[in-house]
Amino acid sequence: MIPSYLTIEPSVQAALLQHRPVVALESTIISHGMPYPKNVETARAVEQAIREQGAVPATIAIFGGRCHVGLTDTELAYFGKAKDVWKVSLRDMPYVISKGLYGATTVAATMRIASMAGIKIFVTGGIGGVHRGAETSMDISADLTEMAATSVAVVSAGVKSILDIGLTLEYLETKGIPVVTMGQDAFPSFYSRKSGYASPLRLDSPAEIAALLDAKWSMGLEGSVLIANPVAAENEMPADEMELHIQLALVAAAQQSVRGKEITPFLLKYIADHTKGESLETNIALIKQNAAAGASIAVALSNMAS
Ligand code: PSU
Ligand code: MN
């Protein structure tokens, strides 16, 4: 029985019923993460990259008082253009659902809705985490607490250095969330293949990652696994150049008293605007690479079950 607050698109529902691989995608990246029309082009290309690996994409968003798992092309295009879309983390879900508003789901909200639908693998660009200065601001993303609770694996290009990467890794350890980097020892920092931190774990193949997920969940260890997929060398941006833009973005955020849920979108937009779109190209490349990686893991996981 599908609950009344959930709408599952027919191709996604068919795949789930037949235990075929499905990959969830977030919608904040479409409505708040990239400018139109690149956002819609990217969302379509990401879905295509998942299909090419033999999995079914399910972009997740909220509208009409329901959580939608899998969007039609028209719905996806609407999210790309609309100005009145809420950024929805867990806290905002009941409000946006009860008011029938349009909501783009963050990592936390997307994971929870994916879990309601029975999807185990979720692909994004970068997760939220412990912010720089969190020791006084207490700004820790609900993405991390959600990852502690919900058994959906997250594929990302690591953690963006707008956050405190060291504290984010500590928090993930405290919450018992395995952090695995694909194919290298260094933990990546989204735009760059390195972060200055070693990855707590390394695995090199989708089959090994699927085996880790199966081991975790079959032991009843609830919660996520953070799978870091480093951006390809030809698409990476120099870490020291990014650090300069991040420092300037943080100063601007402080001067303009940006707070709460607005901070992450503000920092991301500032950096995109001040790197002349170069960071946007890296962003698009890495999300497609993550989609292919996540789909291969979903395929390997569904092969284990059969
Ligand atoms: N980090 C990125 N790109 C993103 C986000 C974070 O590099 O698009 C978005 C994701 O939707 C993530 C959310 O779940 O921001 C985290 O927001 P907050 O820090 O307010 O929890
Ligand atoms: Mn926050």
Side-chain angles (χ1 to χ4, degrees):
M1 255 288 282
I2 300 170
S4 61
Y5 48 81
L6 209 57
T7 297
I8 305 182
E9 196 271 324
S11 72
V12 174
Q13 180 65 6
L16 288 169
L17 285 172
Q18 295 161 15
H19 303 285
R20 286 189 281 119
V22 178
V23 175
L25 297 160
E26 63 158 304
S27 42
T28 298
I29 205 164
I30 307 173
S31 62
H32 294 71
M34 287 180 195
Y36 181 83
K38 284 250 167 157
N39 56 353
V40 176
E41 284 163 32
T42 304
R44 286 184 181 136
V46 164
E47 290 200 343
Q48 189 52 29
I50 288 170
R51 287 191 194 98
E52 278 164 16
Q53 300 298 319
V56 175
T59 301
I60 291 180
I62 295 176
F63 52 91
R66 296 169 82 102
C67 303
H68 289 255
V69 179
L71 301 186
T72 65
D73 203 59
T74 317
E75 289 163 350
L76 201 141
Y78 180 86
F79 266 82
K81 270 193 244 181
K83 298 271 176 274
D84 51 354
V85 177
W86 272 58
K87 172 188 167 194
V88 178
S89 192
L90 285 184
R91 175 191 68 174
D92 315 294
M93 275 175 68
Y95 181 83
V96 170
I97 289 278
S98 65
K99 287 279 188 189
L101 301 174
Y102 279 86
T105 50
T106 63
V107 168
T110 308
M111 279 181 76
R112 182 66 69 93
I113 297 166
S115 169
M116 290 170 181
I119 302 172
K120 306 304 288 180
I121 307 289
F122 161 45
V123 164
T124 186
I127 61 162
V130 181
H131 281 259
R132 296 188 189 193
E135 58 275 23
T136 50
S137 70
M138 288 185 70
D139 190 354
I140 300 174
S141 174
D143 291 356
L144 296 186
T145 43
E146 182 60 17
M147 288 180 78
T150 295
S151 300
V152 173
V154 179
V155 181
S156 85
V159 170
K160 208 173 267 180
S161 49
I162 56 172
L163 303 171
D164 188 318
I165 297 177
L167 290 187
T168 301
L169 288 170
E170 290 294 345
Y171 196 92
L172 289 162
E173 181 186 348
T174 300
K175 293 292 184 182
I177 302 162
V179 177
V180 185
T181 299
M182 294 181 74
Q184 68 175 36
D185 297 327
F187 184 67
S189 60
F190 195 90
Y191 297 114
S192 310
R193 291 172 64 79
K194 293 184 180 161
S195 61
Y197 293 88
S199 179
L201 302 167
R202 166 185 176 161
L203 290 171
D204 292 352
S205 70
E208 288 172 294
I209 294 172
L212 179 136
L213 297 176
D214 183 61
K216 178 173 160 69
W217 293 328
S218 59
M219 279 187 283
L221 294 173
E222 302 287 345
S224 187
V225 172
L226 178 60
I227 301 162
N229 182 39
V231 62
E234 65 264 31
N235 303 115
E236 90 175 315
M237 293 180 69
D240 49 352
E241 189 188 310
M242 288 315 300
E243 178 60 25
L244 183 70
H245 293 292
I246 289 162
Q247 296 281 358
L248 293 170
L250 289 167
V251 169
Q255 278 171 350
Q256 296 174 42
S257 303
V258 182
R259 285 197 224 293
K261 69 185 275 195
E262 306 308 332
I263 290 181
T264 298
F266 178 92
L267 297 174
L268 297 178
K269 185 169 188 310
Y270 186 100
I271 293 163
D273 289 349
H274 290 79
T275 51
K276 300 187 187 72
E278 202 180 334
S279 70
L280 180 62
E281 292 310 313
T282 300
N283 214 327
I284 292 171
L286 69 82
I287 175 96
K288 286 191 214 162
Q289 292 158 15
N290 292 350
S296 321
I297 295 164
V299 168
L301 193 63
S302 93
N303 287 342
M304 285 191 74
S306 55

